[in-house]
Amino acid sequence: MKPFRVGLALSGGGARGAVHVGVLKTFEREKIQINLITGTSVGALIGAWYAFSPDANALEKKINEYLKSDIFKSARFKIMESDSKKDQGGVFGRLASFFRKEYVLVKAAASSSILSQEEFSETINFFLEDKPIESAVIPFGAVATDLDTGEEIILRSGPVRAAVLASCALPGLVPPVLCNGRRLVDGFCSSRVPIDAAREMGADFVITVDMEQDLESRDRAETTLEIIIQAQHLLSRRLSNLQCEKTDFGVSLCSMPVGWSDIHKARDLFLVGEEAALSRVRPLKRAIAMRRMTSWIRRCRKPGKKIS
């Protein structure tokens, strides 16, 4: 009989991805077993690290090391750190503060991206060893988007660094990643919360961690750029709401007053994730137990015959 599998779907959200670490710490303490992981954008980076090394405390330590590293200090995208109230969030809003700077506008007009693939890869390589996805301790899938068709692509084999790079390749910030003839970009564009990917990988029960900002926590759009960003966010949010209806259990942190680029707040977000997950532990355990029981009954029952 096929074993019951719990999948964890980690959403994108830039610096807010640090909450994933706190959620994982709580799951470890509460002995909530995860049998497979899918991730979009920063969720893919966090998920990949954990899939190879299932130790949330070690992951937290690694992120703290990164924040003190020369790679982070010299990273050009560090200038995206902004005041949360000015950060508009969403796929297109992630670049708002960046595009306000004149030299970035000039570069954006003259090339396909602001950062080179090599520059962004330094961060990916800091966290992940160059290993095949198939060798992960926990089955893992990174979600990316085909730039030309809009198709959701689940990367379940091949080099993990390349898969995560594709899942994190925000259009305009990082060049598309070429893979089997496809131009792949951030999975956020097609599946902000990779629930379908978890189902396809065999999850019987999917837990989602969603951290996209609610509209109520965002500033009123006033300028032309802000209005465009707001419109794009509305489309993204509508798609995400439809996707999240498919989840079996959600841990939502959508009201966090933290911008996509507030990387320096990572340490605070670890605790936010822990507390949010802890508040949901009891209903989560009940939901898993109930689904496990109903799944077992369905598998054991023969057509036209009841279980005694």
Side-chain angles (χ1 to χ4, degrees):
M1 184 180 294
K2 175 188 171 186
F4 183 82
R5 306 180 78 192
V6 175
L8 179 64
L10 302 177
S11 74
R16 293 191 291 271
V19 303
H20 290 322
V21 181
V23 171
L24 288 167
K25 288 177 68 175
T26 295
F27 284 179
E28 281 185 14
R29 285 198 303 269
E30 297 295 330
K31 302 187 184 307
I32 296 173
Q33 185 176 2
I34 302 300
N35 305 112
L36 63 90
I37 301 172
T38 56
T40 288
S41 199
V42 69
L45 177 60
I46 298 296
W49 198 98
Y50 193 81
F52 280 89
S53 305
D55 183 338
N57 287 313
L59 176 53
E60 179 180 1
K61 181 179 179 181
K62 187 71 173 180
I63 293 175
N64 286 329
E65 289 176 1
Y66 173 71
L67 295 176
K68 298 176 183 178
S69 70
D70 292 337
I71 293 177
F72 173 71
K73 293 175 183 178
S74 64
R76 290 174 57 194
F77 54 83
K78 188 174 182 290
I79 69 170
M80 288 194 296
E81 289 185 348
S82 63
D83 180 74
S84 301
K85 295 180 180 179
K86 295 180 181 179
D87 183 68
Q88 291 296 307
V91 175
F92 292 87
R94 299 178 186 185
L95 300 180
S97 60
F98 224 78
F99 283 129
R100 289 190 183 99
K101 301 182 182 293
E102 183 176 353
Y103 81 92
V104 174
L105 284 171
V106 172
K107 182 171 179 62
S111 62
S112 63
S113 64
I114 296 168
L115 298 177
S116 70
Q117 204 166 93
E118 290 72 23
E119 287 174 306
F120 196 71
S121 292
E122 287 185 344
T123 292
I124 303 297
N125 297 346
F126 180 89
F127 286 97
L128 302 174
E129 296 183 28
D130 193 15
K131 295 181 178 181
I133 295 176
E134 302 92 317
S135 65
V137 176
I138 301 173
F140 170 73
V143 173
T145 305
D146 187 314
L147 179 61
D148 299 301
T149 67
E151 181 183 357
E152 176 185 336
I153 306 297
I154 308 172
L155 301 170
R156 302 172 56 182
S157 62
V160 66
R161 284 178 172 176
V164 172
L165 179 62
S167 184
C168 295
L170 181 65
L173 178 63
V174 182
V177 176
L178 296 178
C179 180
N180 298 325
R182 295 176 181 266
R183 295 190 300 165
L184 301 183
V185 295
D186 201 317
F188 203 97
C189 298
S190 59
S191 183
R192 185 170 60 82
V193 187
I195 301 170
D196 290 339
R199 298 280 188 211
E200 186 170 325
M201 289 180 62
D204 299 290
F205 186 96
V206 179
I207 305 169
T208 58
V209 183
D210 182 17
M211 55 194 178
E212 179 66 357
Q213 286 179 308
D214 284 331
L215 295 177
E216 291 78 6
S217 64
R218 296 156 61 88
D219 285 346
R220 177 184 173 86
E222 300 288 353
T223 68
T224 300
L225 178 59
E226 290 171 346
I227 291 172
I228 292 173
I229 290 168
Q230 178 78 339
Q232 296 293 349
H233 181 78
L234 289 173
L235 293 173
S236 172
R237 192 68 199 176
R238 184 175 180 80
L239 173 61
S240 298
N241 288 341
L242 291 173
Q243 291 175 331
C244 286
E245 289 177 359
K246 304 176 184 178
T247 190
D248 295 303
F249 195 92
V251 177
S252 177
L253 299 102
C254 297
S255 60
M256 288 190 303
V258 177
W260 175 85
S261 55
D262 292 335
I263 304 172
H264 60 286
K265 296 182 179 180
R267 296 180 183 88
D268 296 330
L269 293 175
F270 297 146
L271 182 58
V272 171
E274 285 189 67
E275 293 176 345
L278 186 60
S279 69
R280 301 283 282 156
V281 162
R282 287 187 178 181
L284 173 57
K285 287 183 175 180
R286 287 196 298 268
I288 292 175
M290 182 65 70
R291 177 60 61 84
R292 190 187 300 274
M293 176 63 70
T294 57
S295 178
W296 179 82
I297 292 174
R298 284 198 305 268
R299 291 170 183 175
C300 291
R301 179 179 292 141
K302 295 180 180 180
K305 186 177 181 179
K306 296 182 178 181
I307 297 176
S308 58

